[in-house]
Amino acid sequence: MTPIKGPGAAQSHDGTGLRVAIIHARWNEQIIDALVSGAKKQLLAAGVTEENITVETVPGSYELPIGVQRLYAASQVQASAGEGISASDLLSSSTTDLKTTATTAPKKAFDAIIAIGVLIKGATMHFEYIADAVSHGLMRVQLDSGVPVIFGLLTVLTEEQGLERAGLGSSGMHNHGEDWGSAAVELGVKRRE
Ligand SMILES: O=Nc1c(NC[C@H](O)[C@H](O)[C@H](O)CO)[nH]c(=O)[nH]c1=O
């Protein structure tokens, strides 16, 4: 029987020419790395080129909203400044701890940004406060800036739940990062229309 819960039938969108950023926290790296790989795999499969995918990191999920905000703003400056200005020069001038891996500035601002983090419930209320702050923060950045921000924050109660949702568990659950990559392409394409 087809499960009721799930992302629905896959749609196909042409990601050619899209510029997408993946910004991820560095906590719980084994799960993070699998999620980032899954998202990147879907971006490439949709035609987004390697040079149009920028990967950034922040210390933890709590830094994702400011990281997304600063990264998008830097890409807008890049777009107005044109080629040749390295993104890291632009970012370093903004006294942020974000360092992009880009070497030359593509002309476009990001069409979509995927924010990836993994929060694992501990013995205190820290998990709840970060999850709430980051969820609202990413939504605010998305609506204020107009750039689609794909919500890639896993809020899991156990390590096993996190491994399962990164496609690393024994249940065969799919890698949720792939859903996020597909969502970034769809929203990026629709934003251009
Ligand atoms: O505590 N657990 C986690 C965590 N804490 C750090 C937090 O996001 C932030 O970086 C620091 O508080 C400094 O601002 N960050 C995560 O991504 N996952 C966790 O499971």
Side-chain angles (χ1 to χ4, degrees):
M1 186 178 113
T2 309
I4 293 173
K5 186 175 186 296
Q11 293 190 358
S12 168
H13 296 275
D14 180 3
T16 308
L18 288 184
R19 188 184 178 208
V20 179
I22 298 173
I23 182 166
H24 69 81
R26 295 192 296 270
W27 270 68
N28 307 310
E29 276 187 334
Q30 181 188 352
I31 301 171
I32 287 282
D33 289 348
L35 294 168
V36 171
S37 299
K40 196 169 176 183
K41 181 184 105 179
Q42 288 304 106
L43 293 175
L44 294 169
V48 182
T49 56
E50 189 78 47
E51 62 268 13
N52 276 344
I53 299 173
T54 298
V55 180
E56 296 277 352
T57 74
V58 288
S61 295
Y62 190 79
E63 284 75 40
L64 286 171
I66 187 68
V68 169
Q69 186 184 64
R70 302 296 284 266
L71 186 61
Y72 183 61
S75 77
Q76 288 180 302
V77 173
Q78 277 180 347
S80 55
E83 287 196 12
I85 311 284
S86 97
S88 57
D89 291 345
L90 288 167
L91 285 176
S92 57
S93 64
S94 57
T95 64
T96 174
D97 64 351
L98 286 173
K99 291 282 180 281
T100 181
T101 53
T103 51
T104 57
K107 285 196 174 153
K108 293 177 46 169
F110 291 117
D111 296 294
I113 300 179
I114 306 171
I116 297 179
V118 176
L119 286 172
I120 301 177
K121 173 71 180 160
T124 67
M125 291 289 289
H126 198 215
F127 168 93
E128 286 82 354
Y129 287 106
I130 297 177
D132 187 59
V134 174
S135 308
H136 290 289
L138 291 176
M139 179 60 79
R140 184 158 72 82
V141 168
Q142 172 173 245
L143 297 178
D144 289 353
S145 66
V147 67
V149 176
I150 305 306
F151 185 69
L153 181 68
L154 285 190
T155 52
V156 293
L157 302 180
T158 64
E159 291 179 359
E160 182 56 27
Q161 283 183 352
L163 291 168
E164 291 288 349
R165 285 151 184 78
L168 300 174
S170 53
S171 74
M173 189 181 281
H174 77 282
N175 182 340
H176 285 39
E178 296 175 5
D179 301 335
W180 306 335
S182 300
V185 171
E186 179 178 345
L187 272 290
V189 166
K190 288 179 174 175
R191 190 164 178 254
R192 278 187 314 200
E193 288 166 358

